[in-house]
Amino acid sequence: MTTILVITFAGIVLIGVLGFVGRRKPAADLTEWTVGGRRFGAVTMWFLQAGEVFTTFTFLGMAGLAFSGGVAAMYALPYVPIGYIVLFFLAKRVWTLGKERGYLTQGDFLEDRFDSKTLGTASAVLGVVFVLPYLQLQITGLGLIVKLTTGNAASSTVSMVIACVLVIAFVLWSGLRGVAVTAYFKDALMLVVLTVLIIAIPVSLAGGISGVFHRVAELRPSLLTVHAGSNDHTWFITSMLISAIGVAFLCLPHTWPGVMSARNPEVLRRNYTWLPLYELVLMFPMIIGFAAVLTLPPKSDSNGILLSLTQQTLPPWLVGVVVVGAIATAMVPAAGILVGISSAVARNIVRVRNERAQFWVNHGTVVLACGLALLLAIFRPDLLANLLLLTFNGTAQLAPANALGFFRRKVVSKVPVMAGLLAGEVVVIVLTFWAPKMFGTFNVGLIGLGVNIVVLALAAAAERAAGRAPTQQAELTTGGAV
C-alpha cells in the first residue's frame, strides 16, 4: 500500500473518530440531535457555518472553473458576503422565531408562518429532492479524489464505503455536534493545505503568484476577463444573484439546523460580520487553477487539476495530507446535509406523532439517504447529474415564501405562496431539461424566481379582490419586525 493510501485511510478514520467526540452519549431527542440543544457559542458556530461553504466543489471545482473559465470563477466570491449582509439583519428574527416556536427545519417555519402543513411538506420534499444530488456529489467527489491521486479505482470505492459508514455512524451518535467537531478539523486542515499549495505551486511554476498572472496574461489573456461564451457577463451576474438570494433567505434545508443551534442571535450577527472575510480563502484554489494553465493541456479534466499539480509539486506524504484535507471537504458537508435531510423527512414528510418514533424515522433516513447516495456514486455516478443543476436554482424558489414568513403580520396567505412556488419550479425544470438555451446564459433560477414572484403577486391580488385576504393579526412574539 502506498504512502498516499495509508495517510488517506488514516485521515478518513480520524475524521470519523472526531465525529464521535462531539457527544459522550447518544442524543436523547430530536431537538438535541438536530440543533445541539440551541447552545452553540461563537467559535463553534463559526466553524459550523464556514463548513457549509467549503465543500468538494469549493476545493476542486473552484480551481477547475478558474482553469476553464478564468475570472468568471470569481462570481463565487461576492455572493456569500452579500447573503450574509442580509442575514445580519434577519438573524435575530430567524433565531427568535425558531426558539419561541420550536422550529428545527425550514418546513417547520413555513408550516407555522402560513398555517399550512401542505406548504411545510412541499418545502421539505423539494429540499430533499434537490439536495440529495448535492449529497451524492460529496461522496462522488471523495472517490474521485482518491482515484486521481492513486490511480486505483478499487481504492476509490473502498474509501467511499469506509467514509460513508463512518459518517452515518457519527451522525447517528452525535447529530449536529459531531458535524461541528469535524468542522473544526476540516477548516483548520484545509487552511494549512491551501496555504502550502498557494505557495508551493506558483513558486515552482512561475516564481510566485504575480508570475502566474504575468504568464497567463501572455499565454491566454482572455482568461483574465469575463468574455463572451458560456461564462459571460450575463452568466456571471445572474449566477451571482441567484446564489446570493439562496444564501440570504436560507433556501437550502441543511442551513437551518446550523442557524437554530446558536446560543443567542448575537452569536449569529457576530459571525455574519466576520465570515465574509473568511470567504477570501476561495481565491486560493482559483489561483491554483490559473497556475494550471501554465503546465496542463487546455482539454485536461478541470476537476482534477488541483490534485494533478499537487502530485507534480509535493512529496507523497504531503500529497496524502492534501488528500485528507480534500476528503474532509466531502465528509463534513455530507454529514451536515444528512442532518438537514433527515430532520425534514421526520418532521415534515412522514409526520409520525410519537416523538420517539419521529427520532427513529430521522435515524432511518440518515442510513437510507447516505446509502442511496453511496450506491449511486459507485454504480451510477451520473444518474443525478442533471438534477444537480436544480439544487440551487430549485431551492431558490423558496426565497419569496421564506422572506414573507419573516414579517410580523401575515401579508399573504398560503395559496398565493404555493402558486408562486409551483410556477417557479415548473419554469426552472422546463428551462433546465427541455429549453436550456432559450434565454442564453441567463440563469434559469432567476427567471423562475421572477415568474414565482409575479404569480404570487397576481394570486394575492386576486385573493384580496375576492375578499379572502389574510387577517392582519399581530404576532405575539418578541422577535423584531421586518
Side-chain angles (χ1 to χ4, degrees), residues 56 132-145 156-157 159-161 163-164 167 329-331 334 338 369-378:
T56 48
L132 185 61
Y134 198 40
L135 174 63
Q136 185 197 338
L137 173 66
Q138 308 309 318
I139 298 171
T140 304
L142 188 154
L144 177 64
I145 290 163
S156 169
T157 301
S159 298
M160 287 190 289
V161 172
C164 283
V167 167
T329 65
M331 288 179 67
L338 284 173
C370 197
L372 176 61
L374 173 62
L375 291 175
L376 290 173
I378 294 173

PDB file of all heavy atoms in Angstrom, residues 56 132-145 156-157 159-161 163-164 167 329-331 334 338 369-378:
ATOM      1  N   THR A  56     -16.388  19.903  -1.471  1.00  0.00           N
ATOM      2  CA  THR A  56     -15.529  19.407  -2.546  1.00  0.00           C
ATOM      3  C   THR A  56     -15.625  20.312  -3.776  1.00  0.00           C
ATOM      4  O   THR A  56     -14.655  20.464  -4.521  1.00  0.00           O
ATOM      5  CB  THR A  56     -15.926  17.977  -2.954  1.00  0.00           C
ATOM      6  OG1 THR A  56     -17.350  17.917  -3.138  1.00  0.00           O
ATOM      7  CG2 THR A  56     -15.536  16.983  -1.901  1.00  0.00           C
ATOM      8  N   LEU A 132     -30.428  15.980  -2.307  1.00  0.00           N
ATOM      9  CA  LEU A 132     -29.874  14.631  -2.385  1.00  0.00           C
ATOM     10  C   LEU A 132     -28.753  14.535  -3.431  1.00  0.00           C
ATOM     11  O   LEU A 132     -27.717  13.914  -3.167  1.00  0.00           O
ATOM     12  CB  LEU A 132     -30.977  13.614  -2.678  1.00  0.00           C
ATOM     13  CG  LEU A 132     -30.553  12.144  -2.671  1.00  0.00           C
ATOM     14  CD1 LEU A 132     -30.005  11.750  -1.295  1.00  0.00           C
ATOM     15  CD2 LEU A 132     -31.715  11.236  -3.053  1.00  0.00           C
ATOM     16  N   PRO A 133     -28.903  15.127  -4.632  1.00  0.00           N
ATOM     17  CA  PRO A 133     -27.789  15.101  -5.579  1.00  0.00           C
ATOM     18  C   PRO A 133     -26.537  15.799  -5.036  1.00  0.00           C
ATOM     19  O   PRO A 133     -25.414  15.423  -5.370  1.00  0.00           O
ATOM     20  CB  PRO A 133     -28.342  15.858  -6.799  1.00  0.00           C
ATOM     21  CG  PRO A 133     -29.803  15.753  -6.678  1.00  0.00           C
ATOM     22  CD  PRO A 133     -30.093  15.760  -5.218  1.00  0.00           C
ATOM     23  N   TYR A 134     -26.733  16.811  -4.208  1.00  0.00           N
ATOM     24  CA  TYR A 134     -25.606  17.521  -3.607  1.00  0.00           C
ATOM     25  C   TYR A 134     -24.867  16.610  -2.628  1.00  0.00           C
ATOM     26  O   TYR A 134     -23.637  16.669  -2.515  1.00  0.00           O
ATOM     27  CB  TYR A 134     -26.129  18.768  -2.895  1.00  0.00           C
ATOM     28  CG  TYR A 134     -25.085  19.821  -2.595  1.00  0.00           C
ATOM     29  CD1 TYR A 134     -24.097  20.127  -3.508  1.00  0.00           C
ATOM     30  CD2 TYR A 134     -25.122  20.517  -1.388  1.00  0.00           C
ATOM     31  CE1 TYR A 134     -23.148  21.105  -3.237  1.00  0.00           C
ATOM     32  CE2 TYR A 134     -24.186  21.496  -1.101  1.00  0.00           C
ATOM     33  CZ  TYR A 134     -23.196  21.785  -2.032  1.00  0.00           C
ATOM     34  OH  TYR A 134     -22.265  22.739  -1.751  1.00  0.00           O
ATOM     35  N   LEU A 135     -25.634  15.743  -1.945  1.00  0.00           N
ATOM     36  CA  LEU A 135     -25.030  14.747  -1.068  1.00  0.00           C
ATOM     37  C   LEU A 135     -24.226  13.748  -1.889  1.00  0.00           C
ATOM     38  O   LEU A 135     -23.090  13.404  -1.540  1.00  0.00           O
ATOM     39  CB  LEU A 135     -26.125  14.024  -0.271  1.00  0.00           C
ATOM     40  CG  LEU A 135     -25.678  12.841   0.587  1.00  0.00           C
ATOM     41  CD1 LEU A 135     -24.707  13.284   1.671  1.00  0.00           C
ATOM     42  CD2 LEU A 135     -26.894  12.152   1.214  1.00  0.00           C
ATOM     43  N   GLN A 136     -24.816  13.284  -2.991  1.00  0.00           N
ATOM     44  CA  GLN A 136     -24.086  12.344  -3.844  1.00  0.00           C
ATOM     45  C   GLN A 136     -22.817  12.985  -4.394  1.00  0.00           C
ATOM     46  O   GLN A 136     -21.779  12.328  -4.532  1.00  0.00           O
ATOM     47  CB  GLN A 136     -24.953  11.859  -5.000  1.00  0.00           C
ATOM     48  CG  GLN A 136     -24.255  10.783  -5.825  1.00  0.00           C
ATOM     49  CD  GLN A 136     -24.877  10.557  -7.184  1.00  0.00           C
ATOM     50  OE1 GLN A 136     -26.032  10.874  -7.401  1.00  0.00           O
ATOM     51  NE2 GLN A 136     -24.107  10.013  -8.108  1.00  0.00           N
ATOM     52  N   LEU A 137     -22.873  14.276  -4.700  1.00  0.00           N
ATOM     53  CA  LEU A 137     -21.701  14.975  -5.220  1.00  0.00           C
ATOM     54  C   LEU A 137     -20.531  14.895  -4.236  1.00  0.00           C
ATOM     55  O   LEU A 137     -19.381  14.705  -4.636  1.00  0.00           O
ATOM     56  CB  LEU A 137     -22.047  16.447  -5.483  1.00  0.00           C
ATOM     57  CG  LEU A 137     -20.877  17.357  -5.886  1.00  0.00           C
ATOM     58  CD1 LEU A 137     -20.324  16.943  -7.241  1.00  0.00           C
ATOM     59  CD2 LEU A 137     -21.309  18.812  -5.917  1.00  0.00           C
ATOM     60  N   GLN A 138     -20.818  15.029  -2.932  1.00  0.00           N
ATOM     61  CA  GLN A 138     -19.744  14.964  -1.938  1.00  0.00           C
ATOM     62  C   GLN A 138     -19.102  13.577  -1.938  1.00  0.00           C
ATOM     63  O   GLN A 138     -17.872  13.451  -1.881  1.00  0.00           O
ATOM     64  CB  GLN A 138     -20.294  15.276  -0.536  1.00  0.00           C
ATOM     65  CG  GLN A 138     -21.085  16.562  -0.417  1.00  0.00           C
ATOM     66  CD  GLN A 138     -20.368  17.777  -0.987  1.00  0.00           C
ATOM     67  OE1 GLN A 138     -19.176  17.972  -0.798  1.00  0.00           O
ATOM     68  NE2 GLN A 138     -21.118  18.601  -1.704  1.00  0.00           N
ATOM     69  N   ILE A 139     -19.928  12.533  -2.014  1.00  0.00           N
ATOM     70  CA  ILE A 139     -19.404  11.168  -1.971  1.00  0.00           C
ATOM     71  C   ILE A 139     -18.661  10.835  -3.266  1.00  0.00           C
ATOM     72  O   ILE A 139     -17.577  10.243  -3.247  1.00  0.00           O
ATOM     73  CB  ILE A 139     -20.549  10.175  -1.721  1.00  0.00           C
ATOM     74  CG1 ILE A 139     -21.184  10.463  -0.351  1.00  0.00           C
ATOM     75  CG2 ILE A 139     -20.044   8.730  -1.776  1.00  0.00           C
ATOM     76  CD1 ILE A 139     -22.453   9.694  -0.093  1.00  0.00           C
ATOM     77  N   THR A 140     -19.246  11.226  -4.403  1.00  0.00           N
ATOM     78  CA  THR A 140     -18.583  11.004  -5.682  1.00  0.00           C
ATOM     79  C   THR A 140     -17.259  11.758  -5.730  1.00  0.00           C
ATOM     80  O   THR A 140     -16.247  11.244  -6.223  1.00  0.00           O
ATOM     81  CB  THR A 140     -19.482  11.466  -6.845  1.00  0.00           C
ATOM     82  OG1 THR A 140     -20.742  10.789  -6.765  1.00  0.00           O
ATOM     83  CG2 THR A 140     -18.839  11.171  -8.182  1.00  0.00           C
ATOM     84  N   GLY A 141     -17.257  12.988  -5.218  1.00  0.00           N
ATOM     85  CA  GLY A 141     -16.032  13.782  -5.180  1.00  0.00           C
ATOM     86  C   GLY A 141     -14.961  13.132  -4.335  1.00  0.00           C
ATOM     87  O   GLY A 141     -13.778  13.151  -4.685  1.00  0.00           O
ATOM     88  N   LEU A 142     -15.365  12.516  -3.220  1.00  0.00           N
ATOM     89  CA  LEU A 142     -14.406  11.815  -2.364  1.00  0.00           C
ATOM     90  C   LEU A 142     -13.747  10.674  -3.138  1.00  0.00           C
ATOM     91  O   LEU A 142     -12.517  10.507  -3.099  1.00  0.00           O
ATOM     92  CB  LEU A 142     -15.130  11.284  -1.130  1.00  0.00           C
ATOM     93  CG  LEU A 142     -14.282  10.675  -0.010  1.00  0.00           C
ATOM     94  CD1 LEU A 142     -15.021  10.810   1.323  1.00  0.00           C
ATOM     95  CD2 LEU A 142     -13.980   9.191  -0.254  1.00  0.00           C
ATOM     96  N   GLY A 143     -14.553   9.897  -3.841  1.00  0.00           N
ATOM     97  CA  GLY A 143     -13.998   8.802  -4.637  1.00  0.00           C
ATOM     98  C   GLY A 143     -13.085   9.303  -5.734  1.00  0.00           C
ATOM     99  O   GLY A 143     -12.030   8.707  -6.014  1.00  0.00           O
ATOM    100  N   LEU A 144     -13.480  10.411  -6.370  1.00  0.00           N
ATOM    101  CA  LEU A 144     -12.665  10.990  -7.443  1.00  0.00           C
ATOM    102  C   LEU A 144     -11.308  11.439  -6.907  1.00  0.00           C
ATOM    103  O   LEU A 144     -10.276  11.254  -7.562  1.00  0.00           O
ATOM    104  CB  LEU A 144     -13.399  12.180  -8.065  1.00  0.00           C
ATOM    105  CG  LEU A 144     -12.651  12.950  -9.158  1.00  0.00           C
ATOM    106  CD1 LEU A 144     -12.411  12.048 -10.366  1.00  0.00           C
ATOM    107  CD2 LEU A 144     -13.435  14.195  -9.569  1.00  0.00           C
ATOM    108  N   ILE A 145     -11.300  12.019  -5.708  1.00  0.00           N
ATOM    109  CA  ILE A 145     -10.053  12.484  -5.096  1.00  0.00           C
ATOM    110  C   ILE A 145      -9.081  11.320  -4.926  1.00  0.00           C
ATOM    111  O   ILE A 145      -7.902  11.414  -5.298  1.00  0.00           O
ATOM    112  CB  ILE A 145     -10.347  13.145  -3.730  1.00  0.00           C
ATOM    113  CG1 ILE A 145     -11.071  14.478  -3.935  1.00  0.00           C
ATOM    114  CG2 ILE A 145      -9.064  13.365  -2.934  1.00  0.00           C
ATOM    115  CD1 ILE A 145     -11.760  14.990  -2.684  1.00  0.00           C
ATOM    116  N   SER A 156     -10.642   3.794  -4.556  1.00  0.00           N
ATOM    117  CA  SER A 156     -11.657   4.844  -4.555  1.00  0.00           C
ATOM    118  C   SER A 156     -12.967   4.330  -3.966  1.00  0.00           C
ATOM    119  O   SER A 156     -13.578   4.975  -3.114  1.00  0.00           O
ATOM    120  CB  SER A 156     -11.882   5.348  -5.981  1.00  0.00           C
ATOM    121  OG  SER A 156     -13.018   6.169  -6.060  1.00  0.00           O
ATOM    122  N   THR A 157     -13.401   3.148  -4.405  1.00  0.00           N
ATOM    123  CA  THR A 157     -14.647   2.571  -3.910  1.00  0.00           C
ATOM    124  C   THR A 157     -14.555   2.237  -2.428  1.00  0.00           C
ATOM    125  O   THR A 157     -15.478   2.525  -1.650  1.00  0.00           O
ATOM    126  CB  THR A 157     -14.993   1.286  -4.702  1.00  0.00           C
ATOM    127  OG1 THR A 157     -15.112   1.617  -6.090  1.00  0.00           O
ATOM    128  CG2 THR A 157     -16.290   0.681  -4.212  1.00  0.00           C
ATOM    129  N   SER A 159     -12.663   3.636  -0.237  1.00  0.00           N
ATOM    130  CA  SER A 159     -12.645   4.904   0.505  1.00  0.00           C
ATOM    131  C   SER A 159     -14.046   5.458   0.679  1.00  0.00           C
ATOM    132  O   SER A 159     -14.413   5.934   1.768  1.00  0.00           O
ATOM    133  CB  SER A 159     -11.770   5.931  -0.223  1.00  0.00           C
ATOM    134  OG  SER A 159     -10.433   5.503  -0.309  1.00  0.00           O
ATOM    135  N   MET A 160     -14.857   5.400  -0.383  1.00  0.00           N
ATOM    136  CA  MET A 160     -16.227   5.900  -0.296  1.00  0.00           C
ATOM    137  C   MET A 160     -17.050   5.096   0.707  1.00  0.00           C
ATOM    138  O   MET A 160     -17.812   5.667   1.494  1.00  0.00           O
ATOM    139  CB  MET A 160     -16.895   5.872  -1.676  1.00  0.00           C
ATOM    140  CG  MET A 160     -16.393   6.925  -2.638  1.00  0.00           C
ATOM    141  SD  MET A 160     -17.403   7.058  -4.142  1.00  0.00           S
ATOM    142  CE  MET A 160     -17.000   5.535  -4.985  1.00  0.00           C
ATOM    143  N   VAL A 161     -16.876   3.779   0.691  1.00  0.00           N
ATOM    144  CA  VAL A 161     -17.641   2.920   1.604  1.00  0.00           C
ATOM    145  C   VAL A 161     -17.248   3.203   3.052  1.00  0.00           C
ATOM    146  O   VAL A 161     -18.112   3.388   3.924  1.00  0.00           O
ATOM    147  CB  VAL A 161     -17.410   1.431   1.268  1.00  0.00           C
ATOM    148  CG1 VAL A 161     -18.043   0.541   2.337  1.00  0.00           C
ATOM    149  CG2 VAL A 161     -17.995   1.104  -0.105  1.00  0.00           C
ATOM    150  N   ALA A 163     -15.807   5.866   4.325  1.00  0.00           N
ATOM    151  CA  ALA A 163     -16.208   7.227   4.706  1.00  0.00           C
ATOM    152  C   ALA A 163     -17.701   7.290   5.014  1.00  0.00           C
ATOM    153  O   ALA A 163     -18.118   7.909   6.002  1.00  0.00           O
ATOM    154  CB  ALA A 163     -15.850   8.205   3.594  1.00  0.00           C
ATOM    155  N   CYS A 164     -18.523   6.656   4.170  1.00  0.00           N
ATOM    156  CA  CYS A 164     -19.976   6.706   4.383  1.00  0.00           C
ATOM    157  C   CYS A 164     -20.382   5.982   5.658  1.00  0.00           C
ATOM    158  O   CYS A 164     -21.244   6.462   6.411  1.00  0.00           O
ATOM    159  CB  CYS A 164     -20.707   6.104   3.181  1.00  0.00           C
ATOM    160  SG  CYS A 164     -20.774   7.211   1.759  1.00  0.00           S
ATOM    161  N   VAL A 167     -19.420   8.279   8.512  1.00  0.00           N
ATOM    162  CA  VAL A 167     -20.295   9.452   8.567  1.00  0.00           C
ATOM    163  C   VAL A 167     -21.653   9.074   9.148  1.00  0.00           C
ATOM    164  O   VAL A 167     -22.185   9.764  10.024  1.00  0.00           O
ATOM    165  CB  VAL A 167     -20.450  10.093   7.174  1.00  0.00           C
ATOM    166  CG1 VAL A 167     -21.604  11.096   7.171  1.00  0.00           C
ATOM    167  CG2 VAL A 167     -19.164  10.795   6.758  1.00  0.00           C
ATOM    168  N   THR A 329     -13.433  17.939   3.109  1.00  0.00           N
ATOM    169  CA  THR A 329     -14.408  18.843   2.490  1.00  0.00           C
ATOM    170  C   THR A 329     -15.568  18.076   1.867  1.00  0.00           C
ATOM    171  O   THR A 329     -16.544  18.689   1.434  1.00  0.00           O
ATOM    172  CB  THR A 329     -13.754  19.718   1.395  1.00  0.00           C
ATOM    173  OG1 THR A 329     -13.291  18.894   0.308  1.00  0.00           O
ATOM    174  CG2 THR A 329     -12.589  20.524   1.944  1.00  0.00           C
ATOM    175  N   ALA A 330     -15.461  16.746   1.816  1.00  0.00           N
ATOM    176  CA  ALA A 330     -16.586  15.918   1.365  1.00  0.00           C
ATOM    177  C   ALA A 330     -17.354  15.343   2.546  1.00  0.00           C
ATOM    178  O   ALA A 330     -18.581  15.410   2.603  1.00  0.00           O
ATOM    179  CB  ALA A 330     -16.069  14.777   0.478  1.00  0.00           C
ATOM    180  N   MET A 331     -16.629  14.776   3.517  1.00  0.00           N
ATOM    181  CA  MET A 331     -17.283  14.079   4.625  1.00  0.00           C
ATOM    182  C   MET A 331     -18.058  15.016   5.541  1.00  0.00           C
ATOM    183  O   MET A 331     -19.189  14.713   5.947  1.00  0.00           O
ATOM    184  CB  MET A 331     -16.243  13.310   5.438  1.00  0.00           C
ATOM    185  CG  MET A 331     -15.692  12.088   4.730  1.00  0.00           C
ATOM    186  SD  MET A 331     -14.437  11.198   5.716  1.00  0.00           S
ATOM    187  CE  MET A 331     -15.433  10.561   7.074  1.00  0.00           C
ATOM    188  N   ALA A 334     -21.177  16.468   3.883  1.00  0.00           N
ATOM    189  CA  ALA A 334     -22.125  15.357   3.723  1.00  0.00           C
ATOM    190  C   ALA A 334     -22.865  15.096   5.029  1.00  0.00           C
ATOM    191  O   ALA A 334     -24.082  14.856   5.035  1.00  0.00           O
ATOM    192  CB  ALA A 334     -21.397  14.094   3.265  1.00  0.00           C
ATOM    193  N   LEU A 338     -26.919  15.448   5.687  1.00  0.00           N
ATOM    194  CA  LEU A 338     -27.717  14.352   6.257  1.00  0.00           C
ATOM    195  C   LEU A 338     -28.568  14.823   7.426  1.00  0.00           C
ATOM    196  O   LEU A 338     -29.726  14.415   7.566  1.00  0.00           O
ATOM    197  CB  LEU A 338     -26.799  13.217   6.703  1.00  0.00           C
ATOM    198  CG  LEU A 338     -26.232  12.323   5.603  1.00  0.00           C
ATOM    199  CD1 LEU A 338     -25.201  11.361   6.172  1.00  0.00           C
ATOM    200  CD2 LEU A 338     -27.341  11.548   4.902  1.00  0.00           C
ATOM    201  N   ALA A 369     -30.573   7.641   3.124  1.00  0.00           N
ATOM    202  CA  ALA A 369     -30.102   8.709   2.235  1.00  0.00           C
ATOM    203  C   ALA A 369     -28.624   8.537   1.905  1.00  0.00           C
ATOM    204  O   ALA A 369     -28.220   8.629   0.740  1.00  0.00           O
ATOM    205  CB  ALA A 369     -30.353  10.067   2.877  1.00  0.00           C
ATOM    206  N   CYS A 370     -27.816   8.277   2.923  1.00  0.00           N
ATOM    207  CA  CYS A 370     -26.388   8.109   2.676  1.00  0.00           C
ATOM    208  C   CYS A 370     -26.110   6.825   1.899  1.00  0.00           C
ATOM    209  O   CYS A 370     -25.260   6.793   1.006  1.00  0.00           O
ATOM    210  CB  CYS A 370     -25.611   8.118   3.998  1.00  0.00           C
ATOM    211  SG  CYS A 370     -23.838   8.415   3.794  1.00  0.00           S
ATOM    212  N   GLY A 371     -26.859   5.764   2.217  1.00  0.00           N
ATOM    213  CA  GLY A 371     -26.693   4.510   1.485  1.00  0.00           C
ATOM    214  C   GLY A 371     -27.048   4.656   0.019  1.00  0.00           C
ATOM    215  O   GLY A 371     -26.340   4.154  -0.864  1.00  0.00           O
ATOM    216  N   LEU A 372     -28.151   5.359  -0.262  1.00  0.00           N
ATOM    217  CA  LEU A 372     -28.562   5.588  -1.651  1.00  0.00           C
ATOM    218  C   LEU A 372     -27.530   6.424  -2.385  1.00  0.00           C
ATOM    219  O   LEU A 372     -27.164   6.107  -3.535  1.00  0.00           O
ATOM    220  CB  LEU A 372     -29.925   6.298  -1.673  1.00  0.00           C
ATOM    221  CG  LEU A 372     -30.459   6.691  -3.049  1.00  0.00           C
ATOM    222  CD1 LEU A 372     -30.652   5.464  -3.925  1.00  0.00           C
ATOM    223  CD2 LEU A 372     -31.769   7.466  -2.921  1.00  0.00           C
ATOM    224  N   ALA A 373     -27.048   7.489  -1.748  1.00  0.00           N
ATOM    225  CA  ALA A 373     -26.037   8.341  -2.378  1.00  0.00           C
ATOM    226  C   ALA A 373     -24.765   7.546  -2.653  1.00  0.00           C
ATOM    227  O   ALA A 373     -24.130   7.728  -3.702  1.00  0.00           O
ATOM    228  CB  ALA A 373     -25.735   9.539  -1.477  1.00  0.00           C
ATOM    229  N   LEU A 374     -24.388   6.656  -1.751  1.00  0.00           N
ATOM    230  CA  LEU A 374     -23.190   5.829  -1.945  1.00  0.00           C
ATOM    231  C   LEU A 374     -23.372   4.878  -3.123  1.00  0.00           C
ATOM    232  O   LEU A 374     -22.478   4.765  -3.982  1.00  0.00           O
ATOM    233  CB  LEU A 374     -22.905   5.028  -0.671  1.00  0.00           C
ATOM    234  CG  LEU A 374     -21.779   3.985  -0.765  1.00  0.00           C
ATOM    235  CD1 LEU A 374     -20.451   4.644  -1.084  1.00  0.00           C
ATOM    236  CD2 LEU A 374     -21.687   3.172   0.519  1.00  0.00           C
ATOM    237  N   LEU A 375     -24.517   4.189  -3.194  1.00  0.00           N
ATOM    238  CA  LEU A 375     -24.761   3.257  -4.297  1.00  0.00           C
ATOM    239  C   LEU A 375     -24.755   3.973  -5.638  1.00  0.00           C
ATOM    240  O   LEU A 375     -24.193   3.472  -6.620  1.00  0.00           O
ATOM    241  CB  LEU A 375     -26.100   2.543  -4.079  1.00  0.00           C
ATOM    242  CG  LEU A 375     -26.146   1.553  -2.913  1.00  0.00           C
ATOM    243  CD1 LEU A 375     -27.563   1.020  -2.730  1.00  0.00           C
ATOM    244  CD2 LEU A 375     -25.171   0.399  -3.146  1.00  0.00           C
ATOM    245  N   LEU A 376     -25.383   5.141  -5.689  1.00  0.00           N
ATOM    246  CA  LEU A 376     -25.396   5.905  -6.931  1.00  0.00           C
ATOM    247  C   LEU A 376     -23.992   6.374  -7.294  1.00  0.00           C
ATOM    248  O   LEU A 376     -23.611   6.387  -8.467  1.00  0.00           O
ATOM    249  CB  LEU A 376     -26.342   7.096  -6.803  1.00  0.00           C
ATOM    250  CG  LEU A 376     -27.833   6.767  -6.737  1.00  0.00           C
ATOM    251  CD1 LEU A 376     -28.646   8.020  -6.443  1.00  0.00           C
ATOM    252  CD2 LEU A 376     -28.303   6.126  -8.041  1.00  0.00           C
ATOM    253  N   ALA A 377     -23.215   6.776  -6.287  1.00  0.00           N
ATOM    254  CA  ALA A 377     -21.845   7.234  -6.542  1.00  0.00           C
ATOM    255  C   ALA A 377     -20.983   6.107  -7.102  1.00  0.00           C
ATOM    256  O   ALA A 377     -20.095   6.345  -7.930  1.00  0.00           O
ATOM    257  CB  ALA A 377     -21.227   7.772  -5.251  1.00  0.00           C
ATOM    258  N   ILE A 378     -21.250   4.871  -6.666  1.00  0.00           N
ATOM    259  CA  ILE A 378     -20.448   3.731  -7.126  1.00  0.00           C
ATOM    260  C   ILE A 378     -20.915   3.215  -8.485  1.00  0.00           C
ATOM    261  O   ILE A 378     -20.114   3.017  -9.401  1.00  0.00           O
ATOM    262  CB  ILE A 378     -20.504   2.585  -6.095  1.00  0.00           C
ATOM    263  CG1 ILE A 378     -19.827   3.014  -4.791  1.00  0.00           C
ATOM    264  CG2 ILE A 378     -19.820   1.330  -6.645  1.00  0.00           C
ATOM    265  CD1 ILE A 378     -19.989   2.003  -3.665  1.00  0.00           C
TER     266      ILE A 378
END
